[in-house]
Amino acid sequence: MSEFPAAGLILNIVFVLALATTLVGAVLAVVTTRIIRSVCGLAICCVGLAELYYFLHSPFLALMEILIYVGAVCVTIVFAVMLAEPEEAVVEKKRGVDFAWSGLAMVVCGAIFFGLWRLGSQQDWTALTPRTNDGSIQSIGKALLTTYSLPFEMISLALLVAILGALAVARTGRDKA
Amino acid sequence: MNPTLLYDKPELYIITAALLLALGVFGLVRRRTLIGMLIAGELIFSAAALNFMAFNRFRAADQSTGQIFVLFIMGLAAAEVAIALSIVIAVYRNYRSVKTRELSDLNG
């Protein structure tokens, strides 16, 4: 760790950048008015999450996060935005009731956050048990085909049913013209 | 472990996941369109996945368990998005709108 000058500082800066990317993306995904900006916020948030997975010693999941979320989920949502034009009403006048509900939602979510923050920061999360493997891609592949082979097959079934269901639901009501 | 390195502190990941969960719930309440609610739901999935990965890294004996679980979460989230978006498009064909306030046929 000490070969490169200020390696720890650089690592800390990159880690804080990853945290900031995740949180800024999540805030953008929630508070923007236009839905396409919200999708962009989700993509930014997923890039930040991929960096966090990398810091958690899992480059495999970092790649999967980019591939599935940024590459598939966000692009699919953009297609739905193009087909369904879900613009939030900009000219609609805000009523007092709306502000009241927003305030209530903010209070509830703030309570959730502070409760989890207190819980998370009070505990000592250092490891108790010795590690049995290193979490490499080889060990993931072995575990997927031995210990977790049944959930693996169930996921493939679930994806198949999702594809068929999406086709069936989106096809009904479509006229021939 | 070097205590000065920030990425070895599990609390940071857990607090980030808590913030993602709170933002996701807030968006789920605040958004008025189905697609906005879907995006907020994805944030909640991400919070759960980040928690799984943090506990896997710092607490678990078998380091591949949490990664496989997060992979399953991603697969289920992708399936959910596919189904939800096809429902959104079907709703748009019938109502010419995806605003949740106007989908009130069952409102007695």
Side-chain angles (χ1 to χ4, degrees):
Chain A
M1 195 54 72
S2 58
E3 292 90 355
F4 194 77
L9 182 67
I10 294 171
L11 271 176
N12 280 350
I13 289 173
V14 174
F15 180 68
V16 169
L17 273 180
L19 280 183
T21 311
T22 311
L23 294 181
V24 166
V27 170
L28 276 182
V30 169
V31 302
T32 50
T33 311
R34 290 186 182 279
I35 211 78
I36 193 76
R37 292 182 191 163
S38 181
V39 181
C40 292
L42 181 65
I44 293 171
C45 176
C46 289
V47 171
L49 272 174
E51 295 174 47
L52 288 184
Y53 288 154
Y54 209 90
F55 273 112
L56 285 167
H57 292 234
S58 178
F60 172 64
L61 272 188
L63 282 176
M64 283 296 127
E65 179 84 18
I66 297 277
L67 194 70
I68 294 176
Y69 272 98
V70 184
V73 169
C74 287
V75 172
T76 317
I77 295 177
V78 168
F79 269 111
V81 169
M82 284 197 297
L83 288 174
E85 307 162 5
E87 289 300 334
E88 305 244 343
V90 185
V91 292
E92 190 180 322
K93 207 167 64 178
K94 288 261 185 185
R95 295 172 300 169
V97 180
D98 290 342
F99 282 114
W101 280 114
S102 282
L104 185 64
M106 236 183 233
V107 167
V108 169
C109 298
I112 292 174
F113 170 59
F114 279 111
L116 287 175
W117 184 4
R118 288 289 301 278
L119 273 180
S121 51
Q122 276 171 0
Q123 308 290 326
D124 179 24
W125 295 116
T126 45
L128 302 174
T129 48
R131 287 175 185 160
T132 52
N133 69 13
D134 55 350
S136 62
I137 298 182
Q138 284 88 352
S139 69
I140 295 174
K142 274 179 197 157
L144 267 181
L145 290 179
T146 53
T147 319
Y148 299 100
S149 56
L150 184 64
F152 190 56
E153 296 299 325
M154 295 314 276
I155 281 288
S156 71
L157 263 184
L159 284 173
L160 176 68
V161 172
I163 292 168
L164 293 179
L167 285 176
V169 170
R171 193 173 180 280
T172 55
R174 184 175 191 168
D175 45 6
K176 292 283 189 285
Chain B
M1 286 188 188
N2 192 346
T4 61
L5 288 177
L6 283 179
Y7 71 90
D8 270 339
K9 293 188 187 305
E11 297 93 352
L12 286 178
Y13 298 100
I14 293 164
I15 290 170
T16 309
L19 200 52
L20 280 180
L21 171 69
L23 281 171
V25 173
F26 179 65
L28 209 55
V29 176
R30 183 181 167 275
R31 284 284 179 200
R32 303 228 179 91
T33 63
L34 293 175
I35 297 184
M37 293 170 74
L38 184 70
I39 291 172
E42 290 301 311
L43 286 184
I44 298 177
F45 271 120
S46 302
L50 186 59
N51 252 345
F52 268 112
M53 272 308 292
F55 288 127
N56 175 60
R57 170 87 184 99
F58 295 104
R59 295 288 282 190
D62 188 354
Q63 289 280 298
S64 61
T65 314
Q67 302 188 39
I68 290 170
F69 214 102
V70 172
L71 200 61
F72 288 159
I73 290 178
M74 283 181 192
L76 284 181
E80 177 241 352
V81 163
I83 292 282
L85 287 180
S86 73
I87 290 175
V88 165
I89 288 172
V91 165
Y92 182 72
R93 281 211 193 99
N94 287 329
Y95 290 85
R96 292 286 135 194
S97 164
V98 290
K99 295 199 179 86
T100 46
R101 193 166 296 229
E102 294 168 19
L103 308 177
S104 55
D105 276 5
L106 289 178
N107 192 357

